[in-house]
Amino acid sequence: QVQLVESGGGLVQTGGSLRLSCAVSGPSFSSFAMGWFRRAPRKEREFVALISRSGGTTDYSDSVKGRFTISRDNTKATVYLQMDSLIPEDTAVYYCARTQYYTPQTVPEKYDVWGQGTQVTVSS
C-alpha cells in the first residue's frame, strides 16, 4: 500500500519561506513522477509543481514560478517543495500526489495516490 505523508506546513508572514516534505512509502518511488497541488478556501484544487521520475524535469504554475522549487531525493523516497517569497494568496492546503503516467502531468485527474495535505497560512 502506497502512502504519501506531507509535513512542513504552518503559519508564516508575507515574504517568508517554508519547506514542505512528502514522504512516500511503498516500492519503486523513483518510477513515478510526482506533483504538488493546493486548494485554497472556496477554490478548486490547482496545480502547483511537478517533477519527473529522475528529477530532471520540473514545471510550475505561473503563480508560483520563480518563488517555489520542487525537488526529490529518490534515496529517501521524498519530494520537497521549497516555498520562498510567500504571499497571502499562497494560503491553502497543499497536497503531494503520484502519477503513473510516464510524462509529467498538470491535471489532478492524472494522479492516483494523494497525501492527506498540510496547511500553509501566509499572514499579511
Side-chain angles (χ1 to χ4, degrees):
Q1 179 104 10
V2 177
Q3 286 189 317
L4 281 60
V5 180
E6 301 97 335
S7 61
L11 173 65
V12 64
Q13 292 185 329
T14 295
S17 298
L18 284 174
R19 189 194 196 200
L20 305 184
S21 298
C22 174
V24 182
S25 64
S28 306
F29 171 73
S30 60
S31 298
F32 301 97
M34 300 292 295
W36 283 97
F37 293 78
R38 67 186 181 187
R39 176 174 280 158
R42 299 174 296 281
K43 291 189 176 180
E44 297 291 320
R45 181 172 46 184
E46 66 170 345
F47 165 74
V48 174
L50 62 83
I51 189 165
S52 63
R53 298 178 299 171
S54 68
T57 298
T58 59
D59 196 12
Y60 301 89
S61 67
D62 289 342
S63 61
V64 308
K65 197 171 294 183
R67 300 187 298 120
F68 290 11
T69 304
I70 188 172
S71 62
R72 66 190 293 163
D73 185 338
N74 285 347
T75 66
K76 296 181 179 179
T78 301
V79 61
Y80 304 97
L81 185 68
Q82 177 67 41
M83 306 187 295
D84 299 317
S85 302
L86 285 160
I87 58 177
E89 290 75 14
D90 295 321
T91 295
V93 177
Y94 283 72
Y95 301 88
C96 68
R98 184 195 81 170
T99 179
Q100 297 201 46
Y101 283 80
Y102 180 80
T103 54
Q105 303 290 327
T106 63
V107 295
E109 291 74 19
K110 300 294 188 181
Y111 288 77
D112 63 335
V113 183
W114 292 78
Q116 82 290 347
T118 185
Q119 176 70 47
V120 171
T121 303
V122 184
S123 64
S124 57

